[in-house]
Amino acid sequence: MRIAVTGSSGKLGTVVVRELSAMGYEVIGMDRIGQRGPSFVQVDFTDYGQVIDAFGAVGDRHDGIDAVVHLAAIPAPGIQSDVATFHNNMTASFNVLWAATRLGIRTVVTASSETVQGLPFDVPPPYIPADEAYPPRPESTYSLVKALEERMAVELVRWFPDLSLTALRFSNVMWPEDYAEFPSFDDDAMLRKWNLWSYIDARDGAQAIAKALEKKLPGFNHFLIANADTVMTRPNAELIAEVFPDVPLKGEIGENTTLFSIDKAREMLGYEPQHSWRDHV
């Protein structure tokens, strides 16, 4: 399978390219910036012509794409203005998805975000552990775009019933070198309450993408993707009692088990995190 990875120079994208390549996929990285080479194409995803051209064929690089992993975006709120974030991310995602449908590419995995769950939880979640069952609650322009992208995906699979479109709501992406900071989080439960003390190791993010590519679930599906544990050594019961005392508990919370439920991804994708910050600190 030949896979285009948009946003291939980003924090998650670089790891996804490496891990998918190691699994035997032919990977074509695409981004606005990146190292020139036979497996990279420079693309501005806000320009539809560039996107459809890059997916269709690029000289002697490739003669067509089998699947798309769409990660390209301004990656968080507050990096650029709200208007710039909306215009860039919404336009890029429409262009990528529309180009895929036009070219007959029927397997797409796209990066949604934990932020659609209601981050930074200044308004508490409806229950803990949070899961995909409650409607999106965007609280920023960045998150609003992610929610709109998911809605767009719902309509596209209605128009194209043979399309497999999977949105992965990634938690805060981390590399192993980021883990040295984690023990300091215990000093203040409020430091990481904004995403229920969650994270995703980029390598496990890549695993989730690989599982979605393998499964090719019909229609549109969305999944929370986090690691199996929190960023804290303090127990979940203590954290919840301090920060979210009035939020109902929905099922078991475990000692340090993730408070973003990944049960749906486990059941439908076969996703199972293999990494933990505790192995590095």
Side-chain angles (χ1 to χ4, degrees):
M1 186 185 295
R2 181 181 294 133
I3 303 168
V5 176
T6 77
S8 60
S9 299
K11 189 167 188 177
L12 179 58
T14 53
V15 178
V16 169
V17 168
R18 183 191 73 207
E19 296 293 309
L20 292 182
S21 297
M23 294 174 192
Y25 292 107
E26 181 182 351
V27 180
I28 308 294
M30 299 183 182
D31 212 329
R32 284 181 173 175
I33 59 172
Q35 186 174 0
R36 181 180 178 182
S39 297
F40 177 79
V41 179
Q42 192 173 61
V43 182
D44 178 353
F45 296 101
T46 64
D47 182 332
Y48 179 70
Q50 290 188 40
V51 177
I52 199 164
D53 195 40
F55 285 179
V58 177
D60 60 356
R61 307 287 180 86
H62 72 84
D63 58 1
I65 296 297
D66 300 308
V68 174
V69 174
H70 177 43
L71 309 178
I74 296 170
I79 297 174
Q80 296 190 28
S81 72
D82 289 342
V83 170
T85 298
F86 187 94
H87 286 182
N88 181 88
N89 290 3
M90 197 73 233
T91 302
S93 291
F94 176 79
N95 288 346
V96 165
L97 296 181
W98 198 245
T101 62
R102 281 287 192 248
L103 293 170
I105 300 167
R106 289 298 182 259
T107 304
V108 180
V109 180
T110 185
S112 189
S113 169
E114 63 183 354
T115 61
V116 302
Q117 302 291 144
L119 273 59
F121 288 132
D122 294 331
V123 176
Y127 49 79
I128 296 175
D131 60 21
E132 305 91 339
Y134 64 87
R137 297 170 55 178
E139 299 290 349
S140 66
T141 301
Y142 170 83
S143 181
L144 175 62
V145 173
K146 291 299 184 183
L148 291 173
E149 289 172 358
E150 289 192 9
R151 184 64 213 176
M152 177 170 61
V154 170
E155 302 305 333
L156 286 177
V157 300
R158 181 170 63 86
W159 294 354
F160 303 96
D162 57 342
L163 181 61
S164 171
L165 211 170
T166 305
L168 302 178
R169 295 179 178 177
F170 289 111
S171 188
N172 189 197
V173 177
M174 296 290 178
W175 288 345
E177 49 264 44
D178 296 321
Y179 294 144
E181 184 183 9
F182 278 32
S184 68
F185 298 153
D186 274 356
D187 295 336
D188 184 357
M190 298 298 290
L191 283 175
R192 297 281 308 190
K193 69 91 181 175
W194 55 270
N195 74 341
L196 293 180
W197 308 281
S198 178
Y199 74 107
I200 180 68
D201 187 291
R203 295 166 293 182
D204 283 317
Q207 180 215 150
I209 288 170
K211 296 289 187 183
L213 290 169
E214 293 165 8
K215 290 288 185 178
K216 297 181 184 178
L217 295 173
F220 173 67
N221 293 275
H222 62 279
F223 301 93
L224 266 172
I225 301 296
N227 272 82
D229 57 347
T230 68
V231 302
M232 309 290 276
T233 62
R234 292 173 61 183
N236 286 336
E238 178 182 314
L239 296 169
I240 294 168
E242 178 179 338
V243 182
F244 298 111
D246 299 322
V247 174
L249 299 183
K250 182 180 179 181
E252 297 295 324
I253 59 171
E255 182 78 5
N256 298 116
T257 305
T258 178
L259 297 176
F260 273 149
S261 174
I262 54 175
D263 289 347
K264 182 181 176 184
R266 281 172 161 151
E267 293 167 7
M268 295 183 65
L269 295 179
Y271 167 69
E272 190 60 51
Q274 301 299 308
H275 302 280
S276 170
W277 71 272
R278 291 167 169 80
D279 299 330
H280 295 268
V281 177

